[in-house]
Amino acid sequence: SNSLGLNRFGSLEIHKLLADQLWEMSVSQAENTTSSEEQEEAEEEAGAEDYSSVGLQSEAVTHYSLAEDVEAILAKLATLPGPTDEETAQNHPCPPCARESLLTRSILLLLSVENIRDAYKLLTSYLETIESRDIEELKKSYMSKTDGKSPSPPVFLSM
């Protein structure tokens, strides 16, 4: 409604502040990992929030996206490792690469709130500065059904 102000999804500064805090919590969480048994107990709690490192990073990039802070997203993605051979294998049983998952989440969120400018800026900057694999090779692999590799999220996002 117009009575809520000009910012459709809330204050950009508040989203940025929350995103910074969530990312710092994810770093602390990664440093203070608990035993798998303690982690399973915490996950079984009814209505428990996802305070895992991955969950906190996902929430952080959500709020960076709502804050329209493409530079912060790029800076955070640059700190994460790229995909491993296991993560790029077709039908891989492991979770996807965190960096590519967070990129996908950010771009899809930006598109869902009709911020095409920042989605385009994020993807092109990611491909220019962070992605180390050859984009032409990724495009060929994306279309190939026989190379044994899973589709690449950066190529999917550029379509």
Side-chain angles (χ1 to χ4, degrees):
S1 123
N2 290 337
S3 63
L4 296 178
L6 299 174
N7 293 327
R8 191 165 142 199
F9 299 104
S11 168
L12 301 180
E13 294 82 12
I14 297 293
H15 281 297
K16 170 83 167 105
L17 189 65
L18 179 56
D20 288 338
Q21 180 61 28
L22 288 165
W23 194 271
E24 290 306 315
M25 287 173 60
S26 79
V27 171
S28 296
Q29 180 68 13
E31 292 171 355
N32 301 323
T33 55
T34 59
S35 72
S36 60
E37 191 173 296
E38 289 174 6
Q39 200 169 9
E40 286 176 17
E41 286 178 21
E43 289 174 1
E44 289 178 8
E45 288 183 31
E49 295 291 327
D50 186 3
Y51 291 117
S52 67
S53 181
V54 172
L56 292 167
Q57 288 174 344
S58 295
E59 285 298 313
V61 297
T62 297
H63 287 284
Y64 281 128
S65 297
L66 291 171
E68 301 177 1
D69 195 346
V70 171
E71 304 307 323
I73 297 170
L74 286 168
K76 300 305 181 187
L77 293 178
T79 65
L80 300 173
T84 63
D85 289 339
E86 183 183 15
E87 292 168 336
T88 59
Q90 192 169 18
N91 299 324
H92 55 89
C94 63
C97 172
R99 185 172 79 185
E100 291 184 342
S101 295
L102 295 173
L103 172 70
T104 303
R105 182 183 188 99
S106 299
I107 290 178
L108 292 177
L109 180 70
L110 288 167
L111 292 173
S112 73
V113 297
E114 301 173 3
N115 190 344
I116 297 168
R117 179 202 65 211
D118 284 342
Y120 176 78
K121 181 179 176 185
L122 177 58
L123 181 60
T124 55
S125 297
Y126 176 86
L127 291 173
E128 291 171 1
T129 61
I130 299 174
E131 182 60 62
S132 59
R133 297 171 292 173
D134 180 40
I135 193 69
E136 293 304 318
E137 294 280 329
L138 291 176
K139 287 178 185 177
K140 287 178 190 172
S141 176
Y142 189 86
M143 299 307 289
S144 175
K145 305 287 187 224
T146 60
D147 69 350
K149 296 199 179 278
S150 63
S152 169
V155 174
F156 164 75
L157 294 168
S158 64
M159 294 185 158

